[in-house]
């Protein structure tokens, strides 16, 4: 087989040697005779004619294609326009632009307006002439006799009430005030309230760590008996474990009739009742002499412990000294931009996906699966539009500068650990260089015993804010409610408080093309409206208002001011 292949190869390579006939003689034209040449010529002319025909057909095809393109192009442009003007709006409906005010763009607005803010040295607000409006207090009914015990039978004084105050500093304060009122209603002896340890606040403080126990017991002695612990014979019954005492679960804002009808018989039978949790468990609509006990507790009996009040007094003195150019007057701001508050609000800022991931983790750690439960909808944009998002330091600074506070205005910032403080505090410091906090005013040694105790640190902030000329509330909640009421109580109803219109502010700070002069006009209009609302005396209705005597002590607590049996002791003791 191999030899056959080699032979075939050789034959194909040399055809002249393989042919048995001699090769014909060739002419100079390369044709093998005249007949062959005629055939080749004819073949050449046929090919040439065919080539010409093919070339002409290609021209016609190209022209046809060009004509089709010229016809199709307008149709394509037409249908593109139809798609743009019909499908485009449909896509916009399916994926609409965010509503005004729903997206955090305050940082963009600030960057654009900063040159104007920085160069604006005008000021329309002077702290020495801050009182443009005065509250007009209405005449009230005569005050009840606060000296007599007006609860149930005095025989129940050997019965005891135990409550557990839950929440942060001021929610616990509300529970304590209601506990005193309930003890007066039932004629029971109150055991010093227990403070619940919460996973979010993580403060293990006891009552005496925050409040002056001696002062508390002494101030209430003519109205409600308060003891530090249960008698030994009762504790022995429950193996010296208060948790073994049956707990009564009470619905929120329960009326006085419920306690008299349901709880009082249990108190008579068992000698002791325990209610946990107790926050918001007593209606605000109670008899006047019981409401008086709430006023007495909040504004007189609850005084901070000596450790807190002494350092608080030093902080007040120091911030006043640093405000000498304003006659010792300063503005206090309660900022709720801590990590847990930002997470709880479910609002989005300018941190992108990493911020969302971090906030999701914090929510799960602090509140478990609450935010993932069925039916729970997280709507950051809607929260911002409705004014539910915590204000950033940048937004607070822009608002105050727009309202007319000069950049040399002394500011005290009350806050916990601010979320990403290094980045978020910088704009506020640029707008108000004279910014002070408890960490800047106190030494490390002075703050050492308070670190890790959120309620004690909050108490320091509360004390400094209490004596400020202007108080700015940015998020609502128990802290500003109690503080506004305490300031009104101290100043006989007159206290400058700024509660911003946050939905309006969100709308303005969504507009990245707004001019500084337009923003200032809006802020000054907002301030005028806030001032007018602040002078209105609220109508006291028979309701379950959470903030009744706490944010508006007058007229309900007016009788406390007129009582001759109560000394006018203030929250702070003079530093020794």
């Amino acid at each position: 087989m191999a030899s056959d292949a080699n032979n075939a190869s050789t034959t194909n390579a040399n055809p002249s040697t393989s042919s048995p006939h001699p090769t014909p003689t060739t002419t100079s034209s390369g044709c093998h005779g005249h007949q062959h040449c005629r055939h080749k010529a004819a073949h050449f002319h046929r090919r040439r004619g065919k080539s010409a025909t093919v070339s002409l057909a290609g021209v016609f095809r190209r022209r046809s294609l060009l004509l089709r393109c010229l016809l199709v192009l307008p149709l394509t442009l037409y249908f593109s326009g139809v798609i743009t003007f019909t499908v485009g709006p449909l896509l916009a409906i399916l994926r609409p632009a965010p509503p005004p005010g729903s997206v955090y763009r305050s940082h963009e607005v600030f960057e654009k307006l900063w040159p104007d803010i920085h160069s604006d040295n005008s000021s329309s607000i002077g702290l020495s002439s801050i009182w443009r409006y005065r509250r007009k207090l209405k005449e009230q009914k005569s005050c009840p006799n606060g000296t007599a015990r007006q609860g149930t039978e005095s025989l129940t004084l050997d019965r005891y009430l135990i409550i557990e105050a839950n929440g942060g500093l001021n929610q616990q304060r509300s529970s304590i005030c209601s506990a005193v009122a309930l003890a007066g209603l039932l004629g029971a002896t109150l055991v010093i309230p227990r403070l619940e340890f919460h996973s979010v606040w993580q403060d293990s403080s006891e009552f005496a760590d925050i409040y002056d126990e001696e002062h508390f017991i002494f101030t209430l002695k003519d109205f409600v008996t308060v003891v530090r612990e249960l008698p030994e014979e009762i504790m022995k019954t429950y193996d010296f474990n208060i948790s073994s005492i049956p707990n009564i679960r009470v619905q929120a804002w329960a009326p006085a009739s419920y306690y008299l009808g349901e709880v009082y018989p249990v108190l008579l039978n068992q000698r002791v009742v325990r209610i946990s949790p107790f926050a918001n468990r007593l209606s605000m609509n109670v008899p006047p002499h019981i409401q008086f006990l709430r006023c007495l507790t909040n504004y007189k009996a609850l005084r901070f412990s000596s450790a807190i009040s002494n350092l608080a007094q030093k902080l007040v003195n120091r911030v006043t000294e640093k405000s000498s150019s304003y006659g010792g007057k300063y503005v206090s701001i309660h900022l709720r931009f801590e990590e847990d508050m930002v997470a709880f609000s479910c609002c989005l800022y300018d941190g992108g996906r990493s911020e969302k991931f971090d906030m999701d983790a914090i929510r799960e750690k602090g509140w478990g699966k609450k935010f993932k439960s069925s039916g729970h909808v997280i709507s950051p944009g809607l929260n911002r539009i409705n004014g539910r998002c915590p204000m950033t330091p940048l937004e607070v600074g822009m608002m105050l500068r727009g309202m007319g506070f000069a950049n040399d205005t002394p500011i005290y910032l009350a806050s916990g650990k601010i979320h990403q403080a290094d980045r978020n505090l910088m704009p506020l410091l640029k707008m108000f260089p004279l910014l002070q906090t408890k960490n800047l005013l106190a030494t490390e040694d002075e703050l050492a015993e308070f670190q890790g105790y959120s309620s004690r640190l909050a108490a320091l902030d509360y004390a400094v804010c209490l004596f400020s000329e202007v108080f700015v509330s940015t998020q609502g909640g128990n802290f500003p409610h109690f503080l506004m009421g305490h300031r009104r109580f101290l100043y006989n109803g007159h206290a400058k408080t700024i509660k911003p219109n946050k939905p309006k502010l969100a709308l303005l700070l969504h507009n990245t093309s707004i001019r500084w002069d337009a923003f200032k006009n809006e802020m000054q209009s907002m301030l005028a409206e806030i001032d007018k609302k602040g002078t209105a005396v609220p109508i006291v209705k028979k309701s379950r208002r959470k903030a009744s005597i706490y944010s508006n002590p007058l007229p309900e607590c007016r009788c406390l001011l007129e009582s001759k049996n109560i000394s006018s002791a203030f929250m702070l003791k003079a530093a020794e």
Side-chain angles (χ1 to χ4, degrees), residues 209-227:
D209 295 320
I210 298 176
Y211 299 107
D212 186 335
E213 271 192 3
E214 289 291 341
H215 179 78
F216 181 76
I217 295 171
F218 177 80
T219 304
L220 296 173
K221 65 181 180 65
D222 292 331
F223 307 92
V224 171
T225 301
V226 181
V227 296

Side-chain angles (χ1 to χ4, degrees), residues 294-320:
R294 268 194 174 121
C295 295
L296 173 63
T297 305
N298 190 48
Y299 298 111
K300 299 296 183 182
L302 284 176
R303 186 170 70 184
F304 290 141
S305 65
S306 59
I308 293 175
S309 59
N310 288 338
L311 181 55
Q313 186 66 64
K314 291 178 182 178
L315 297 184
V316 171
N317 293 340
R318 290 168 190 173
V319 73
T320 301

Side-chain angles (χ1 to χ4, degrees), residues 8 20 25 73 85 143 219 240 250 299 309 397 417 424 443 446 500 527:
T25 305
L73 182 60
F85 289 102
C143 297
T219 304
F240 298 93
V250 179
Y299 298 111
S309 59
K417 185 179 179 181
N424 287 316
T443 66
E446 288 174 328
L527 181 61

Side-chain angles (χ1 to χ4, degrees), residues 345-454:
S345 72
C346 298
C347 295
L348 297 178
Y349 294 89
D350 57 338
R353 289 186 177 182
S354 62
E355 182 181 60
K356 183 180 182 302
F357 179 81
D358 291 342
M359 294 300 104
D360 286 342
I362 294 169
R363 279 191 286 270
E364 186 165 350
K365 180 181 178 182
W367 295 276
K369 302 296 182 181
K370 174 180 179 178
F371 292 93
K372 293 183 179 180
S373 61
S374 60
H376 191 99
V377 179
I378 296 178
S379 302
L382 186 61
N383 287 347
R384 184 166 298 282
I385 290 173
N386 292 334
R388 295 173 183 168
C389 291
M391 290 178 67
T392 64
L394 180 152
E395 291 173 323
V396 175
M398 289 189 67
M399 177 188 72
L400 293 179
R401 287 300 303 272
M403 287 179 173
F405 289 91
N407 67 341
D408 63 345
T409 302
I411 301 285
Y412 179 81
L413 188 66
S415 175
K417 185 179 179 181
I418 296 173
H419 174 53
Q420 297 184 358
D422 292 341
R423 179 171 66 92
N424 287 316
L425 270 180
M426 189 179 300
L428 182 59
L429 278 167
K430 289 171 70 174
M431 288 181 275
F432 292 99
L434 300 183
L435 182 73
Q436 298 293 331
T437 65
K438 55 182 174 291
N439 298 91
L440 294 174
L441 291 169
T443 66
E444 289 187 9
D445 290 340
E446 288 174 328
L447 285 176
E449 65 177 298
F450 299 92
Q451 298 296 350
Y453 299 98
S454 60

Side-chain angles (χ1 to χ4, degrees), residues 24-27 29-40:
T25 305
T26 60
T27 62
S29 65
C31 292
H32 301 286
H34 296 290
Q35 185 177 3
H36 180 76
C37 287
R38 283 196 299 270
H39 285 298
K40 188 170 184 179

